[in-house]
Amino acid sequence: MTDAFLVSGTRTPVGRYGGSLSAVRPDDLAALVIRQVVEDSKVPSADVDEVIFGNSNGAGEENRNVARMAWLLAGFEDVVPGITVNRLCASGMSAIAQAQQMIAAGAADLVVAGGVESMSRAPWVMAKPEKPFSRPGDVVDSAIGWRFVNPRHVDHPKRTFSMPETAEEVARVDGISRVDADEFALRSQQRAVAATQAGRLTREITPVEIPSRKGQPTVVTTDEGPRPETTLDALSNLRPVVAGGSVVTAGNASSLNDGASAVIVASARAVEKYGLNPRARVVGSANAGVPPEIMGIGPVPATRKVLERTGWGIGDLDAVELNEAFASQSLACMRRLGLDEQIVNSDGGAIALGHPLGSSGCRIVLTLLRRLEDDGLQRGLATMCVGVGQGSAMLIERV
C-alpha cells in the first residue's frame, strides 16, 4: 500500500455569518485556496489526478460540483477532473481521506483535497410542487439543519433533532453542566485570541481580497470569530437556545461561518518526481455511526476505530484537533476518550474560530499539521462529529 503525504496546504480566514467573506462566492473562495496550494507546491497543474472538495450545502452558488467549478475558476487546465463529497461537517476531512485512499490504491499520485462553505450565501429554497399547477411549497433557509424532512421520520422524532437539541441531549446523557460548557467556551476563546495575537495561525491562512466599488479593496487576513472581550460572566448570562434546555447557548456553540481550505495529497512517487516537501503522512482514517440525537459523541467510536486499525493508542497522541461543534459534545468526547485537555485545541477551536461546515474537516487537519510543526511534535489526531449521527477521525504523523 502506497503512503500518502500532506504537502502544501492553506485556508482562508474564517468569516462570520454576514461578515467580510459574505461578499465572496463560495466557488471563488474554493478557487483561491486551490490556486494557492498548487502554486505553493510548484507541481504542474495538469499533472494533478483529481480534485476532491467537501461541501455540506450544495444548494446555492456552489451547486453542480464545486470541486470542478473551482478548479476551472482557478485558471487551470480542463483535463483535470473533480468530484464534490458531502459528509456534512466532515466533508473536508472525507475529501482528504478519499485522496489518501486513491493514492494507497495506486489510482492517483497527486490530489487536491479540501472543502468550502459559505453559510452567509446559502439560499432560501422552495420545495418543488408534486403536482402540475400546484402552489409553491414551503420556503426554508438552507444554511443549516434539516429541511424537507421525510414524514417517515415521524416515528423517530429524536432522529430529526436540531443540532443544538443534540448538544443538549449529549449534555444530559453525559452530565455536562452549564458551568462546564461555559468554562470550555471561554478557554477556546482565550486560546484562539492568544494564538491570533501571537501570529501562530498566520501560516495557515491565505488572505482574501474583497473588491470595493469605492476604491482600494479590503484584505481579510485573520479569523473574524475570536472575541477578546469574552468573560465567564458574559457567557453565563446568555439564554439557553433549546426550549426546556439549560446548557447550550450561542456562546458555547460554534457559529455559522464562511471559509475554504485545501491541501495537496501526494504519493511517495510524486514527492520524488516533483521534489516536493512532505510535511506529514496520513496514517489512517475512520468513520462511525451513532444515534442521531447524540451525534456529538461521533468522534469517540471513530477515534477508537482508527486507533485500533493503526495500532496506535491514546497515549501516542501528541496533539489533537477536536472540532468544537458545541462545548457539551467536545467535553463528552474528551472525557470518554480520556484525552488530556492540554493537547486538545491548544490554539482554540470552532467555538471561537468558527465552523464553515464543508471546510472545517480540512481546516482542523491543517491546524493540526501546523501545530505539530510549530511545537516539534510527531503524532496527531483530527476528529469531529457529523450531523445525522456520525463521527470522523484521521491520524497524521509528521515526517
Side-chain angles (χ1 to χ4, degrees), residues 143-324:
I144 191 172
W146 287 83
R147 43 196 182 266
F148 308 134
V149 177
N150 192 312
R152 293 171 59 194
H153 286 306
V154 70
D155 294 331
H156 305 277
K158 288 187 174 182
R159 187 180 292 171
T160 55
F161 268 6
S162 68
M163 293 299 99
E165 286 175 322
T166 68
E168 192 73 40
E169 184 75 356
V170 168
R172 183 189 67 79
V173 170
D174 277 47
I176 308 298
S177 71
R178 170 67 181 272
V179 173
D180 291 337
D182 286 346
E183 288 179 344
F184 182 89
L186 177 62
R187 185 164 66 245
S188 180
Q189 290 285 354
Q190 290 173 334
R191 289 179 174 181
V193 169
T196 300
Q197 292 176 345
R200 284 176 60 84
L201 306 181
T202 302
R203 195 156 59 88
E204 300 176 17
I205 295 174
T206 291
V208 179
E209 187 175 284
I210 312 297
S212 172
R213 296 178 181 177
K214 298 181 180 180
Q216 291 295 320
T218 300
V219 179
V220 183
T221 60
T222 58
D223 301 308
E224 295 185 317
R227 297 175 181 271
E229 71 279 7
T230 303
T231 64
L232 198 56
D233 283 345
L235 290 171
S236 66
N237 287 326
L238 295 174
R239 294 180 180 179
V241 296
V242 175
S246 61
V247 176
V248 181
T249 70
N252 59 42
S254 60
S255 50
L256 304 182
N257 298 95
D258 311 327
S261 52
V263 63
I264 287 185
V265 188
S267 68
R269 179 168 55 188
V271 166
E272 181 178 1
K273 179 178 179 180
Y274 299 105
L276 304 178
N277 177 32
R279 300 170 63 190
R281 178 174 67 94
V282 181
V283 178
S285 62
N287 304 292
V290 296
E293 67 269 20
I294 51 172
M295 68 93 199
I297 66 165
V300 177
T303 296
R304 288 173 176 163
K305 186 183 289 188
V306 74
L307 289 174
E308 182 179 358
R309 285 177 178 173
T310 59
W312 287 15
I314 289 292
D316 296 317
L317 300 173
D318 300 314
V320 176
E321 283 294 315
L322 170 65
N323 192 54
E324 298 170 358

Side-chain angles (χ1 to χ4, degrees), residues 311-367:
W312 287 15
I314 289 292
D316 296 317
L317 300 173
D318 300 314
V320 176
E321 283 294 315
L322 170 65
N323 192 54
E324 298 170 358
F326 299 91
S328 60
Q329 63 83 207
S330 298
L331 286 165
C333 292
M334 289 166 61
R335 293 175 183 180
R336 290 190 183 205
L337 289 169
L339 295 172
D340 178 358
E341 70 172 36
Q342 296 305 313
I343 71 168
V344 179
N345 301 355
S346 63
D347 291 333
I351 288 174
L353 298 172
H355 182 17
L357 303 180
S359 174
S360 288
C362 181
R363 196 281 296 171
I364 66 171
V365 171
L366 291 176
T367 298

Side-chain angles (χ1 to χ4, degrees), residues 370-394:
R370 193 262 311 152
R371 284 179 57 201
L372 293 178
E373 293 172 335
D374 285 353
D375 299 332
L377 306 175
Q378 205 67 31
R379 292 180 167 184
L381 163 71
T383 186
M384 58 202 313
C385 60
V386 184
V388 204
Q390 295 185 76
S392 294
M394 178 173 289

